[in-house]
Amino acid sequence: MDGSATFPDVTLAILAGGQGTRLGGVAKGLLSVEGLTTLERLRAFGSHFADTVLVANVSQPYDRFGIRTVADAVKGKGSPGGVHAALGAAHTPWVFAVACDMPFVTEAAARVVLDARSGDVDAVCIERDGRWEPLFAAYRTELVSRWGEALVEDPSLRRVLMRFRTRTLPVDALRAVDPELRALANVNTPEDLVRYGVTLPQR
């Protein structure tokens, strides 16, 4: 944190998620694009932020990357639990959350979301085809206590967000800087590997 961050009041939170069962159980942060793992690409993206934190309940595959890592504070809650852990670990007023299998996020795309923050908003996310994109979204860290209370209900991320002052942006706002919406692309299936030019890690 040398003061040169583009978003000095924001922590980048990378959610490692599960073990990529549809891709043979690989750690998805180790998927490779153009010679770099997705986690290396996200670590470079993290230079735009005050800090970067990785949320991973199994940290061993990622130890070599030197990213501060935390586990879920409330186990077994999936992505909502991962965001909660990130909110609790952040030392900044805001968190920008992404998944570790999103190789094409950019500063310009993140700016679309982060520039939509305001004093009367708790969270900002993109809405596409009626669905919210809560893993390319900004969250106030002060939500952490109420977010933890919401986890009792095993909610979806959208259900948690509906408790708060959430601003949704039309997907066309993102298309203005990312016409193909590559920033929202995540790699879940063998078909995605082909579509996005992603390779599996060496065993």
Side-chain angles (χ1 to χ4, degrees), residues 146-186:
R146 287 180 292 157
W147 195 288
E149 293 166 2
L151 293 180
V152 174
E153 301 174 8
D154 290 322
S156 66
L157 272 172
R158 179 167 178 150
R159 280 180 57 202
V160 180
L161 284 171
M162 290 174 70
R163 290 174 171 244
F164 304 118
R165 300 173 299 172
T166 298
R167 173 172 292 163
T168 58
L169 304 176
V171 75
D172 284 347
L174 182 58
R175 286 190 200 277
V177 300
D178 182 5
E180 297 180 1
L181 302 179
R182 283 170 65 82
L184 299 180
N186 60 335

Side-chain angles (χ1 to χ4, degrees), residues 2-178:
D2 61 4
S4 63
T6 311
F7 308 112
D9 60 340
V10 186
T11 294
L12 175 65
I14 306 168
L15 275 61
Q19 285 299 303
T21 53
R22 285 181 286 180
L23 295 173
V26 303
K28 292 203 289 183
L30 302 182
L31 296 170
S32 182
V33 182
E34 298 172 355
L36 293 174
T37 64
T38 55
L39 195 56
E40 286 172 316
R41 294 169 71 93
L42 288 168
R43 182 175 62 183
F45 172 63
S47 67
H48 295 290
F49 298 83
D51 194 14
T52 299
V53 62
L54 174 67
V55 180
N57 291 321
V58 180
S59 64
Q60 185 276 330
Y62 306 119
D63 288 344
R64 62 187 169 95
F65 295 99
I67 302 173
R68 182 166 68 97
T69 303
V70 299
D72 289 351
V74 182
K75 304 297 185 186
K77 302 298 183 180
S79 295
V83 172
H84 174 252
L87 296 177
H91 306 307
T92 55
W94 287 85
V95 160
F96 186 75
V98 299
C100 74
D101 61 354
M102 299 174 73
F104 306 116
V105 295
T106 63
E107 181 269 338
R111 184 178 294 280
V112 171
V113 171
L114 291 167
D115 280 357
R117 293 174 294 159
S118 64
D120 60 349
V121 168
D122 295 319
V124 183
C125 68
I126 301 288
E127 183 172 357
R128 175 169 58 166
D129 300 327
R131 293 181 294 107
W132 293 4
E133 298 284 351
L135 291 186
F136 188 79
Y139 303 95
R140 283 190 188 276
T141 53
E142 67 184 31
L143 297 178
V144 61
S145 295
R146 287 180 292 157
W147 195 288
E149 293 166 2
L151 293 180
V152 174
E153 301 174 8
D154 290 322
S156 66
L157 272 172
R158 179 167 178 150
R159 280 180 57 202
V160 180
L161 284 171
M162 290 174 70
R163 290 174 171 244
F164 304 118
R165 300 173 299 172
T166 298
R167 173 172 292 163
T168 58
L169 304 176
V171 75
D172 284 347
L174 182 58
R175 286 190 200 277
V177 300
D178 182 5

